[in-house]
Amino acid sequence: MPLSFDLLRTFLAVYRSGSVTRAAELLTISQPSVTAQVKALEATLRRPLFDRLPRGMSPTPAAHQLARRIAAPLDNLEELVLGDLSGPAEAFGRAVHLGGPAELICERVLPSLATMAAGGLQLRVTLGLPDGLLAALADGGLDLVVSSVRTRRGGLRVEPLWDEEFVLVAARSWARRLGAGGADLGSGHPGQGREGEAEAVRRAVERAPLVAYAENLPILRRYWRTVFGVRLTRSPTVVVPDLRGVAAAVAGGAGVSVLPRYLCTRDLVTLHEPEIAPLNTLFLVSRAGAPHPAAAAVRDHLLEAARSWVV
């Protein structure tokens, strides 16, 4: 079979999505047609382009080399042919499928992408936990994932996006009951030093209920370990699987919690400002290789926008 545009276009869809199923959806053709076209291209080139895995397709070195050669020309040709026919609403081509934690996506990512959406970006968002989202990315169901964990999955590109800072907070009513009076619990004690301040804060908040994101208190345990130097063994009083809900419960007076600073409203009082605040690095993850132009544009825009996000 002669080398054709359709064969190369199908190859690039499989290469970018990592999945015959996902490529078929993107190209609006059947899965058997995608498989047949990939095999035809491999026969024409006389070399394998993918290793068939139980979940997805893994590009061979030959596939990486071919993608580098054809991605830009094919994208330019497709934009030239389809762009004039589809108008400004299709300026970015197909939709970009983005996944990430609900709080950061809603509070930081979506506002940063608003201008791109107004300019024609089609965006589909999936909210969830890292494991499921990264599996969907590897399988081709997502194009980009904002992840709170640095994955070591093969075939994925991981880039630092932003550092979120964690702070110990309570409502003003609890701050007064704990002796903070709206100020740092460890302040006002000359000569006690940073360690003494931290111990004073820890002892004070032992009297308050804990509000957590999950039953095993992952964020709270980390704060106790890094700031107080002790293991947190208490159980939470309130568990809300959304940090915005945690913030709302704390602001209403349910107790004490640890939150990213960007979620702390004026209704919350910071109980302690350690010399070195706990940070959590968030990563922007994509599939390795030549991304679709729309996905690449979103990735580049987020990496640039995150530089100006307020902690």
Side-chain angles (χ1 to χ4, degrees), residues 63-289:
H64 290 304
Q65 184 178 20
L66 179 61
R68 284 194 295 269
R69 290 181 177 180
I70 71 170
L74 281 184
D75 290 335
N76 291 337
L77 180 59
E78 189 167 358
E79 182 180 354
L80 178 65
V81 173
L82 300 180
D84 292 339
L85 298 177
S86 57
E90 301 291 334
F92 289 90
R94 68 168 180 82
V96 175
H97 293 257
L98 170 70
E103 304 87 353
L104 189 78
I105 292 291
C106 293
E107 297 293 329
R108 288 291 181 268
V109 173
L110 290 179
S112 295
L113 295 177
T115 55
M116 294 185 72
L121 171 68
Q122 301 173 68
L123 187 64
R124 303 294 181 267
V125 177
T126 301
L127 305 176
L129 298 176
D131 286 349
L133 296 175
L134 291 170
L137 175 65
D139 290 345
L142 295 174
D143 299 304
L144 295 166
V145 168
V146 178
S147 175
S148 57
V149 299
R150 187 183 188 103
T151 181
R152 299 190 181 278
R153 283 175 175 262
L156 297 182
R157 176 181 182 179
V158 181
E159 301 170 277
L161 178 65
W162 189 54
D163 289 332
E164 58 182 357
E165 178 185 341
F166 288 123
V167 291
L168 182 67
V169 294
R172 296 189 183 279
S173 58
W174 265 109
R176 287 192 294 268
R177 291 171 64 179
L178 297 173
D184 191 320
L185 284 170
S187 64
H189 301 280
Q192 70 178 355
R194 285 286 179 176
E195 292 185 3
E197 292 177 12
E199 180 61 17
V201 173
R202 187 189 68 80
R203 290 182 180 276
V205 297
E206 287 292 327
R207 306 197 301 271
L210 298 178
V211 183
Y213 174 83
E215 199 71 42
N216 62 345
L217 308 111
I219 301 175
L220 284 152
R221 284 192 293 106
R222 180 181 174 187
Y223 192 94
W224 254 247
R225 183 179 67 252
T226 58
V227 175
F228 299 144
V230 298
R231 181 183 177 187
L232 179 62
T233 57
R234 298 169 56 196
S235 298
T237 299
V238 179
V239 175
V240 187
D242 188 308
L243 291 176
R244 295 165 299 178
V246 172
V250 173
V256 168
S257 192
V258 174
L259 289 168
R261 192 179 289 276
Y262 74 90
L263 288 178
C264 296
T265 66
R266 288 179 295 179
D267 297 324
L268 297 175
V269 173
T270 301
L271 302 178
H272 185 43
E273 293 283 5
E275 187 173 4
I276 301 177
L279 298 176
N280 182 53
T281 300
L282 295 156
F283 301 93
L284 188 58
V285 189
S286 56
R287 282 185 299 279

